[in-house]
Amino acid sequence: MEYNPQAIERKWRDYWEKNEIYRVSNESDKPKYYVLDMFPYPSGAGLHVGHPLGYIASDIYARYKRMKGFNVLHPMGYDAFGLPAEQYAIDTGIHPSVSTDDNIKKYRSQMDNLGFSFDWSREFRTSDPDFYKWTQWIFQLLFDSYYDTGADKAKPIAELIAHFETSGSEGVKAANQNDQTFTAVEWKAMSAVEQSDILTNFRMAFRKVAYVNWCEVLGTVLANDEVKDGVSERGGHPVEKRPMLQWSLRITAYAQRLLDDLQTIDWPDAMKTIQTNWIGRSEGAQLFFDLAGHDEKLEIYTTRPDTIFGATYMVLAPEHPLVDKITTKEQRAAVTEYLEYTNSRSERERMTEVKEVTGCFLGAYAKNPFTNNEIPIFIGEYVLMDYGTGAIMAVPSDDDRDYAFATKFKLPIIDVIDKSKYPAADRHDKLGIMINSGFLNGMEVPAAITLMLEKIEERGIGQRQVNFRLRDATFSRQRYWGEPIPILYDADGVPQKVDLSQLPIELPPLDNFQPTADGRSPLARKTDWVNQDGMTRETDTMPGYAGSSWYYLRYMDARNHDAFVSKSAVNYWQQVDLYIGGPEHGTGHLMYSRFWHKFLYDLGYVPTAEPFKKLINQGMIQGVIEFLYLSKSEDKKKRFVSADQVKNIEAYARIPVFIDFVSDYGSKDSYLSPQGIKQFVAWRTDYVDAVFVTEDGEFKVGAMPVTFKFQTHSEVGKMSKRYFNVVNPDDVVDKYGADCFRMYEMFLGPLEHSKPWDTQGIDGVSKFLRKMWGLFFDKNENFSVSDAAATPEEMKVLHTVIKKINSDIDRFSFNTCISAFMVATNDLKKMGTNKRAVLVPLVQLLSPFAPHVAEELWQRLGHEGSVTTEEFPQHDEQFLREDSITYPISINGKKRMTADFAADMSKEDLEKAALALPDLQKWIEGKEIRKVIVVVGRMINVVV
RNA sequence: GCCCUUGUGGCGGAAUUGGUAGACGCGCUGGAUUCAAAAUCCAGUUCCUUCGGGAGUGGGGGUUCGAUUCCCCCCGGGGGUACCA
């Protein structure tokens, strides 16, 4: 019988579903293992061949672990809230829940096509009220908690309130914004509003006015990781900084722990570095400068207290609260003008035009506490309000930006570090000998920093401080399609959490999804929903990352109505053992999940400090983009030139063409035939009268000779709708089968690498599967397996592949697994093997990779039940033993010949035997043998 | 700019601790089969060569009996981040 993947695959998928083969229990004597994929956002485009790469790898690993005796949790769901569905709703009027539902159905059918072993009984989407009830519950937990910096963990806010009631603010160690002090009596005398305002400074979920990223086009605020290069990550719309009252999460309280615990997890170095940089820890000093003529002190942060003798001026952020107060009359007009200028600049302009220094003198002066000189105070764009204190001491001699600023405004520059000993050092490197710096003179920089920190603390003008670049996470979104923030405001505007019995706060139906111009959520229009017995609802919704910050916990106990996850379930599954997903989530999802997880850990809801023990970032599968060169010049519009005739690329626009029209697609010589040109102009009808130029001349559509070849330009790039190069896995599966598709995706190369998709290459894997299938059938295509004993050669082939597959899966090297299968199959075919003793383990070995065909062969071999529950084969060294070894023999490290020697020969005997080889004589003749290196079992090297 | 990562035949890639560079597959070339094509099968395929051999893992240098692998410098690709004081 011929290998017919379509028939086999349907049969076994039905079998798996009917028998619930992949359903996993939370109760088992087996050790547990949790394999998770980053769940998809179901976009309208469906899956392309790149998406399943990680799912295939995790599926193979999950199947392997099952066969190795683990109870494996391997779930899937959907990240269903988010901007694209809402933008789609605005454009089409189709409710996001409807389009999301359609998209999910499509995703599900595409995934079902691939034979994954997900336990679908645990499936959910983040937009299910049953799920987001618990997202809201966690938010309330954050609202109800504060961070105790003494105990270094989050605690219930009730404990803080109890402390205020007995001791006031005395002795409180907590992560907060401002250090108000009050007694217990004063606390009790405060109004509810006053108390609430104070507590806001401590809550893990809190409201504050902050300079946030406001995106006018999207009508919402965005988190820092949702802004790339000064524009919104979704849609690329301009973003500006605006002070707005917003919900935020106090992730900064966890900065140090998020940094430290990176040491404890098995993640790629790249991912750890991304997070380390994003957290951006720096050590330095908080320092107070006296202001001339004012009582206030100016607080700054510096990592270079050693350079303070070189601080010749100061710079504040334009938004700094002291600016208005200390600006002198004479400078008022200039300052106002400068502030108008900075306000007019978008975030993007500010970021892209960093070369140019701008600033304005305030007329005010501060006193350098060590030189006692009065130094001028400026405002400047290069100082950011939301880092440090929004103010700096400027040391032009040792900071590039300060230097540029000082040069432009003709401010004094005092050299304080002699770098002549370190010629390679840059201005900002912490290297050199202190000069012009009073008591620091002659010291090396690191020692000077230490001494200066001591002096500062001794004099009481500041203290050591660790600063983080990490910002608190903006949590409000002025959008419809997200989880409503479960907060009610009373008549005084004091926020109260909604009672658990009232959760979930479901999204009310809405017809108009258009964002409002005044920065309020579309939900604000729904007044009957907003007003609740004298209370008003919060109308902002949660950001896209809310649900994904904890979804992996929900899979442990997905249908629980009484808790986000039961104690017993989370104690059993603990954490995700293996997490596979793209590397684009380093500063978003993976940061927030770690934060939420640690928070839940502090409050005793989860037993581990980290959510994801091991992380693998799969690479992207790229597509080939086919372009046509179109002349840019006005008079030659609609003139396409064959790629081989193009000399000056600048003169041509590149028009992407649908890849199905292109012959020899993806190759250097890809071209459009007359047929391809016809398809192209039928698709892009505006080019129906265009001219196509090749070396043979100019041709109009329809007037080309049969041999006409118009070369296209091929380039590797993203697989995307806009390049018309998307390959749908469904089409590949239709033609080759899911087993073949799965193995081919793995065969393409290492999981972590990005690599281009090449449909042509799949033939190799397809041939392999047929060859492998052929081992079980005789010449007349009848199933025919022999019970005869296997030969030592056959056993050697079998155990070689068993050993290789085991070790390669363990190190996630799936591409070499496929090669090993091919090698084994080729060898067995040459030997004409059809022995049961060889084929049974081979089928077991194959089943994680090609589960459908493995089930079919397993059944034909006479077994009942599924091969997926069988034990994974283990190799036996005795079958791998060799009597003789082929040694490579090198002269001076260059291989010249090989020779077979007995495997048990000693080093000395090998040396003697090798030197006696007749072939060797011409190489050593007349030369002195200096040394012979023999590595038993490996190689022999003769040095002459 | 800084940080991470990557560079091996025409292509995807292999070489797990420094030990036969190019496994496996695609493509290509030749052959068999066929009226022919597709499919299939067999053989060859890093480059140069005077057929002895020589060169070769982005480039240059180093350590070593031996380097794709370790060290230093430089160049290219991909990603992250960016007035962070």
Side-chain angles (χ1 to χ4, degrees):
Chain A
M1 190 190 149
E2 231 183 284
Y3 173 49
N4 178 353
Q6 284 72 20
I8 294 173
E9 291 179 0
R10 171 152 325 171
K11 167 181 164 188
W12 289 103
R13 278 205 284 274
D14 289 347
Y15 172 87
W16 295 330
E17 202 185 329
K18 212 164 95 204
N19 295 281
E20 298 190 316
I21 294 289
Y22 303 120
R23 188 155 191 160
V24 61
S25 165
N26 285 358
E27 269 147 53
S28 169
D29 301 334
K30 295 179 191 168
K32 71 97 190 182
Y33 199 87
Y34 186 177
V35 186
L36 183 65
D37 296 287
M38 287 185 190
F39 65 168
Y41 176 83
S43 81
L47 295 172
H48 66 61
V49 290
H51 294 111
L53 183 72
Y55 304 159
I56 295 168
S58 68
D59 192 64
I60 291 169
Y61 201 75
R63 289 173 179 276
Y64 169 71
K65 277 290 187 183
R66 267 185 219 114
M67 294 177 80
K68 283 279 186 180
F70 288 83
N71 190 38
V72 176
L73 177 55
H74 186 45
M76 181 49 84
Y78 307 94
D79 188 15
F81 275 134
L83 280 174
E86 188 164 347
Q87 289 299 104
Y88 186 70
I90 290 168
D91 295 344
T92 63
I94 294 170
H95 195 278
S97 67
V98 174
S99 56
T100 302
D101 199 57
D102 287 348
N103 294 346
I104 285 176
K105 284 201 182 95
K106 188 167 179 186
Y107 270 60
R108 176 64 195 269
S109 96
Q110 285 185 296
M111 285 195 271
D112 280 346
N113 241 338
L114 297 173
F116 294 135
S117 62
F118 294 124
D119 177 357
W120 287 108
S121 74
R122 295 170 188 254
E123 174 190 4
F124 59 81
R125 56 188 81 170
T126 52
S127 58
D128 286 337
D130 280 348
F131 175 81
Y132 71 69
K133 170 182 180 176
W134 301 105
T135 311
Q136 292 174 335
W137 174 79
I138 295 171
F139 174 83
Q140 294 197 338
L141 220 49
L142 287 156
F143 177 72
D144 255 350
S145 304
Y146 79 109
Y147 198 87
D148 181 336
T149 51
D152 208 11
K153 63 188 275 196
K155 287 181 175 174
I157 195 107
E159 291 180 22
L160 185 68
I161 296 170
H163 182 98
F164 287 164
E165 281 170 356
T166 56
S167 323
S169 61
E170 179 70 35
V172 168
K173 286 186 171 174
N176 67 338
Q177 269 110 250
N178 40 19
D179 302 304
Q180 259 174 295
T181 56
F182 48 86
T183 64
V185 176
E186 285 169 334
W187 170 259
K188 283 181 216 158
M190 287 179 200
S191 68
V193 176
E194 287 167 328
Q195 288 189 341
S196 167
D197 284 349
I198 286 180
L199 288 175
T200 282
N201 291 327
F202 293 91
R203 295 182 190 277
M204 296 299 297
F206 62 102
R207 273 213 311 174
K208 69 163 178 183
V209 176
Y211 278 88
V212 293
N213 306 302
W214 169 255
C215 179
E216 187 78 45
V217 179
L218 295 175
T220 186
V221 153
L222 298 169
N224 282 353
D225 62 276
E226 293 168 320
V227 180
K228 294 257 142 71
D229 300 325
V231 297
S232 69
E233 191 179 27
R234 289 250 179 240
H237 305 297
V239 170
E240 56 179 301
K241 288 276 190 209
R242 246 203 212 182
M244 288 177 80
L245 182 62
Q246 297 285 310
W247 284 98
S248 289
L249 301 187
R250 205 176 297 282
I251 188 172
T252 51
Y254 283 90
Q256 189 65 51
R257 284 167 65 190
L258 288 169
L259 185 65
D260 291 343
D261 288 355
L262 285 174
Q263 308 285 330
T264 68
I265 47 182
D266 182 7
W267 284 24
D269 283 341
M271 208 39 59
K272 290 187 181 183
T273 319
I274 286 171
Q275 294 215 337
T276 303
N277 293 340
W278 188 256
I279 294 167
R281 184 184 198 273
S282 74
E283 285 179 22
Q286 167 205 43
L287 246 174
F288 291 93
F289 278 61
D290 289 332
L291 292 171
H294 294 275
D295 290 338
E296 276 104 342
K297 290 175 190 294
L298 180 55
E299 184 188 354
I300 62 117
Y301 173 75
T302 180
T303 55
R304 296 298 304 273
D306 55 311
T307 63
I308 196 163
F309 286 91
T312 51
Y313 63 97
M314 309 201 75
V315 187
L316 308 186
E319 304 88 356
H320 197 283
L322 276 176
V323 170
D324 188 50
K325 189 157 201 172
I326 63 176
T327 303
T328 58
K329 250 186 245 145
E330 297 74 35
Q331 287 301 107
R332 178 73 57 186
V335 169
T336 308
E337 193 186 327
Y338 182 68
L339 289 175
E340 269 167 24
Y341 160 77
T342 55
N343 283 340
S344 73
R345 275 161 62 85
S346 70
E347 189 67 359
R348 173 144 216 179
E349 284 170 331
R350 231 179 127 155
M351 287 173 82
T352 48
E353 299 167 15
V354 295
K355 297 270 146 21
E356 206 189 323
V357 272
T358 66
C360 182
F361 180 42
L362 294 181
Y365 290 86
K367 203 169 95 179
N368 184 320
F370 285 88
T371 63
N372 286 322
N373 291 335
E374 290 217 332
I375 55 176
I377 305 175
F378 286 73
I379 50 174
E381 255 190 315
Y382 80 100
V383 176
L384 307 176
M385 191 56 229
D386 59 1
Y387 183 75
T389 61
I392 59 157
M393 65 173 201
V395 183
S397 59
D398 288 277
D399 182 285
D400 295 329
R401 296 149 304 168
D402 295 348
Y403 181 82
F405 194 90
T407 310
K408 174 157 179 182
F409 292 95
K410 308 217 164 34
L411 293 158
I413 299 169
I414 303 171
D415 277 333
V416 287
I417 295 169
D418 175 9
K419 284 195 152 62
S420 53
K421 216 174 122 187
Y422 302 95
D426 288 328
R427 195 192 304 281
H428 51 265
D429 287 336
K430 294 180 185 174
L431 289 170
I433 311 282
M434 303 306 303
I435 50 169
N436 299 326
S437 294
F439 58 89
L440 296 176
N441 282 341
M443 295 179 79
E444 290 272 356
V445 167
I449 291 175
T450 311
L451 179 62
M452 201 45 155
L453 287 169
E454 281 166 20
K455 286 278 178 205
I456 287 166
E457 291 187 340
E458 212 176 283
R459 287 182 50 184
I461 54 170
Q463 59 191 353
R464 269 164 236 260
Q465 198 178 16
V466 172
N467 241 359
F468 295 95
R469 208 187 65 105
L470 184 71
R471 299 275 70 95
D472 280 333
T474 315
F475 203 67
S476 298
R477 295 293 181 276
Q478 293 71 38
R479 298 297 299 229
Y480 172 72
W481 190 233
E483 303 86 344
I485 293 179
I487 290 289
L488 287 165
Y489 298 97
D490 66 16
D492 295 325
V494 174
Q496 326 257 335
K497 65 171 185 175
V498 176
D499 191 75
L500 177 59
S501 66
Q502 303 289 305
L503 294 183
I505 306 296
E506 290 201 36
L507 260 182
L510 209 65
D511 305 322
N512 182 0
F513 307 103
Q514 209 73 36
T516 61
D518 59 357
R520 286 185 310 151
S521 159
L523 283 173
R525 293 197 191 101
K526 195 98 182 155
T527 46
D528 58 329
W529 181 79
V530 173
N531 297 311
Q532 301 282 323
D533 316 314
M535 310 272 272
T536 50
R537 284 194 196 282
E538 171 62 67
T539 57
D540 284 354
T541 54
M542 299 189 194
Y545 63 79
S548 63
S549 294
W550 77 281
Y551 78 108
Y552 57 92
L553 293 168
R554 186 64 178 170
Y555 288 129
M556 296 174 178
D557 195 12
R559 301 288 171 258
N560 193 326
H561 291 288
D562 306 317
F564 77 118
V565 53
S566 73
K567 263 248 143 34
S568 63
V570 75
N571 281 335
Y572 178 70
W573 294 111
Q574 296 272 318
Q575 66 188 140
V576 177
D577 293 285
L578 173 65
Y579 197 25
I580 298 186
E584 64 275 17
H585 301 290
T587 54
H589 161 58
L590 290 170
M591 204 84 220
Y592 295 120
S593 302
R594 294 184 62 219
F595 160 45
W596 283 42
H597 195 89
K598 286 182 185 305
F599 170 72
L600 291 168
Y601 172 69
D602 284 354
L603 295 183
Y605 288 103
V606 299
T608 55
E610 284 287 337
F612 314 117
K613 206 175 188 174
K614 180 176 176 67
L615 174 72
I616 295 179
N617 294 126
Q618 92 264 16
M620 195 171 50
I621 293 197
Q622 297 150 313
V624 173
I625 310 167
E626 295 284 357
F627 292 105
L628 302 185
Y629 285 112
L630 175 66
S631 174
K632 277 185 191 167
S633 69
E634 278 301 313
D635 53 325
K636 288 179 179 167
K637 250 187 189 172
K638 301 199 176 179
R639 181 184 163 93
F640 288 98
V641 176
S642 184
D644 53 331
Q645 300 298 306
V646 166
K647 287 187 185 79
N648 176 20
I649 307 172
E650 297 295 310
Y652 297 91
R654 301 199 297 177
I655 309 294
V657 55
F658 191 51
I659 53 168
D660 285 10
F661 304 159
V662 179
S663 306
D664 289 347
Y665 157 68
S667 80
K668 219 170 40 199
D669 306 318
S670 56
Y671 65 95
L672 288 180
S673 65
Q675 179 60 26
I677 300 248
K678 265 185 206 152
Q679 288 174 302
F680 172 69
V681 297
W683 174 60
R684 294 288 303 266
T685 47
D686 44 328
Y687 290 121
V688 74
D689 53 346
V691 177
F692 293 81
V693 181
T694 68
E695 58 178 343
D696 300 329
E698 297 186 9
F699 298 89
K700 288 226 157 209
V701 180
M704 288 130 182
V706 198
T707 55
F708 179 82
K709 281 189 182 184
F710 183 87
Q711 293 223 343
T712 58
H713 171 74
S714 315
E715 204 171 276
V716 171
K718 268 208 173 90
M719 201 173 268
S720 157
K721 269 202 286 194
R722 56 190 247 256
Y723 297 127
F724 312 104
N725 62 351
V726 172
V727 181
N728 185 334
D730 292 346
D731 298 338
V732 182
V733 169
D734 277 350
K735 193 162 172 199
Y736 296 94
D739 286 332
C740 184
F741 178 76
R742 290 166 59 108
M743 291 192 98
Y744 182 56
E745 288 238 331
M746 293 298 100
F747 186 60
L748 277 175
L751 183 56
E752 301 87 342
H753 286 193
S754 288
K755 54 246 161 185
W757 175 262
D758 167 24
T759 301
Q760 225 167 16
I762 200 169
D763 281 338
V765 175
S766 179
K767 273 184 220 163
F768 150 73
L769 279 169
R770 268 175 282 162
K771 207 183 274 183
M772 148 99 207
W773 173 267
L775 294 175
F776 296 76
F777 294 84
D778 64 19
K779 272 194 227 103
N780 305 317
E781 301 204 340
N782 293 315
F783 188 82
S784 162
V785 170
S786 145
D787 287 324
T791 63
E793 289 75 26
E794 288 169 336
M795 290 307 271
K796 194 179 156 196
V797 170
L798 174 68
H799 284 264
T800 303
V801 68
I802 292 176
K803 186 178 180 178
K804 177 110 178 111
I805 298 293
N806 272 279
S807 74
D808 284 3
I809 296 180
D810 282 337
R811 61 193 182 97
F812 303 97
S813 177
F814 301 111
N815 55 329
T816 51
C817 287
I818 314 299
S819 312
F821 277 122
M822 289 173 170
V823 171
T825 304
N826 289 343
D827 288 349
L828 292 175
K829 189 172 178 198
K830 262 179 220 139
M831 294 173 189
T833 303
N834 69 339
K835 314 265 174 65
R836 182 177 294 275
V838 175
L839 297 181
V840 165
L842 195 64
V843 168
Q844 293 168 326
L845 213 54
L846 187 73
S847 73
F849 297 85
H852 310 85
V853 69
E855 292 281 31
E856 179 68 22
L857 291 170
W858 187 247
Q859 189 185 52
R860 284 171 188 259
L861 282 166
H863 298 98
E864 299 265 333
S866 171
V867 67
T868 58
T869 53
E870 289 296 310
E871 222 176 283
F872 204 70
Q874 199 64 52
H875 81 279
D876 185 338
E877 281 294 336
Q878 68 160 312
F879 298 110
L880 301 178
R881 235 172 265 148
E882 299 264 7
D883 293 337
S884 76
I885 295 170
T886 304
Y887 281 90
I889 298 173
S890 308
I891 313 297
N892 293 341
K894 189 89 194 159
K895 190 192 103 179
R896 294 300 175 186
M897 66 198 75
T898 59
D900 289 357
F901 295 115
D904 54 2
M905 261 170 92
S906 72
K907 206 170 166 174
E908 290 71 27
D909 292 346
L910 279 169
E911 180 173 336
K912 260 181 245 158
L915 290 177
L917 286 170
D919 285 353
L920 191 76
Q921 302 317 311
K922 72 170 181 188
W923 292 102
I924 56 176
E925 201 160 62
K927 287 167 186 154
E928 180 198 350
I929 294 172
R930 281 222 232 126
K931 205 171 175 184
V932 180
I933 290 135
V934 178
V935 182
V936 177
R938 282 281 186 193
M939 47 64 69
I940 296 164
N941 187 19
V942 181
V943 186
V944 298

